[in-house]
Amino acid sequence: MACILFFGLAAQYGCATAPYTGRSQLLIISEGEEMSLGVQSYHEVLKKEKISKDPQVNAMIRRVGTRIAAVANKPEYSWEFTVIDNPKTANAFALPGGKVAVYTGILPYTQNEAGLAFVVAHEIGHALARHGGERISQNLLLQLGQEGLNVAIANKSPAAVQAANVGYGVATTVGVALPFSRTQEYEADHIGIILMAKAGYDPSEAPKFFERMAKAQHGSPPEFLSTHPADQARIQQLKSLIPEAMNYYHK
Ligand SMILES: [Zn+2]
């Protein structure tokens, strides 16, 4: 998508650069707007799910999440970590503003805290790189064209709100989030493996997580796989990122 089209938009909208990868992005909603949408989506999801009261699992997810959050460089986020008690759902998500949820069904695949750190860091990577905001921007552009876009954003029109809901997936269809693009997935892997290393988790555990997921593909595939294909290309890419991530890794 050509960012140059949007140079005419108000100063707070337009082009941005994704962290760690340097990819240029089209973003026509502000980060503040994204954060308030993220917080709203989070509370809508939690209202519908069963929250885990298991003290050990909660402590583990808070411990791992807090370490990733500490290296995410987002002082404006107000971090929150919730465990959703649903052993049949292997999934996790992180929304702009620092709202993170892990479904207990993913724990057999993460297996250890480093595996969990990768999943949490990958999801936080989507939020840091503003992938939901990109999707919202693209949806709005498709719906309205450039002229309509200016008006819709200025007025917070129903079209803008609807595009936001679709962008985050979770807001309207709990548990059936739309997949991010392949480019965004690779980027979240890239950011995730660096964040986990910075937080003191061995980055070589990242491809192992997807290898376990790939094996599970043959039975009844876990939910995470419907939005996160665990193919050989992805596993190879993660392996090739280990040397870069190792530069950040201190036990
Ligand atoms: Zn992802």
Side-chain angles (χ1 to χ4, degrees):
M1 189 99 31
C3 265
I4 199 150
L5 277 175
F6 296 92
F7 284 166
L9 288 178
Q12 72 265 41
Y13 304 123
C15 300
T17 305
Y20 297 107
T21 67
R23 182 174 64 87
S24 70
Q25 299 174 286
L26 165 72
L27 281 161
I28 54 172
I29 69 165
S30 72
E31 199 165 5
E33 286 167 327
E34 258 196 273
M35 280 169 45
S36 72
L37 288 167
V39 171
Q40 194 183 321
S41 292
Y42 190 67
H43 292 299
E44 281 177 30
V45 174
L46 296 193
K47 258 191 270 169
K48 292 174 185 155
E49 302 284 8
K50 185 178 166 205
I51 309 301
S52 165
K53 297 209 162 60
D54 182 325
Q56 270 180 323
V57 174
N58 271 281
M60 176 174 72
I61 284 163
R62 214 170 308 119
R63 184 163 62 238
V64 169
T66 305
R67 276 171 68 173
I68 303 289
V71 297
N73 194 24
K74 276 288 178 195
E76 67 273 37
Y77 275 18
S78 118
W79 293 96
E80 219 176 297
F81 303 94
T82 302
V83 184
I84 295 171
D85 182 2
N86 185 342
K88 290 204 174 120
T89 299
N91 212 351
F93 63 83
L95 296 170
K99 307 303 184 190
V100 181
V102 175
Y103 290 76
T104 51
I106 205 160
L107 300 177
Y109 302 102
T110 55
Q111 265 184 21
N112 51 51
E113 293 200 13
L116 178 63
F118 172 66
V119 168
V120 169
H122 168 99
E123 294 302 330
I124 289 174
H126 281 303
L128 296 186
R130 302 185 56 196
H131 289 161
E134 262 189 293
R135 200 155 61 169
I136 291 166
S137 304
Q138 287 163 5
N139 290 341
L140 276 175
L141 177 66
L142 287 174
Q143 277 181 41
L144 306 173
Q146 196 189 341
E147 253 177 69
L149 205 60
N150 289 310
V151 179
I153 290 168
N155 301 335
K156 288 211 165 57
S157 77
V161 174
Q162 194 201 351
N165 284 338
V166 174
Y168 289 121
V170 292
T172 45
T173 49
V174 175
V176 199
L178 292 174
F180 285 111
S181 74
R182 186 46 79 101
T183 303
Q184 291 174 325
E185 281 305 326
Y186 279 162
E187 191 162 83
D189 281 351
H190 193 158
I191 297 168
I193 198 170
I194 289 174
L195 288 183
M196 78 183 284
K198 275 188 165 177
Y201 296 103
D202 181 356
S204 65
E205 289 293 328
K208 290 181 193 163
F209 162 75
F210 270 114
E211 279 166 355
R212 289 191 288 272
M213 292 293 272
K215 275 193 201 137
Q217 221 149 198
H218 303 295
S220 56
E223 181 127 17
F224 199 70
L225 283 177
S226 69
T227 48
H228 294 82
D231 50 42
Q232 282 308 312
R234 179 173 215 156
I235 293 166
Q236 278 315 318
Q237 198 229 219
L238 270 171
K239 284 182 178 166
S240 75
L241 290 170
I242 291 172
E244 184 189 348
M246 277 293 178
N247 294 325
Y248 298 93
Y249 178 49
H250 304 284
K251 269 187 200 172

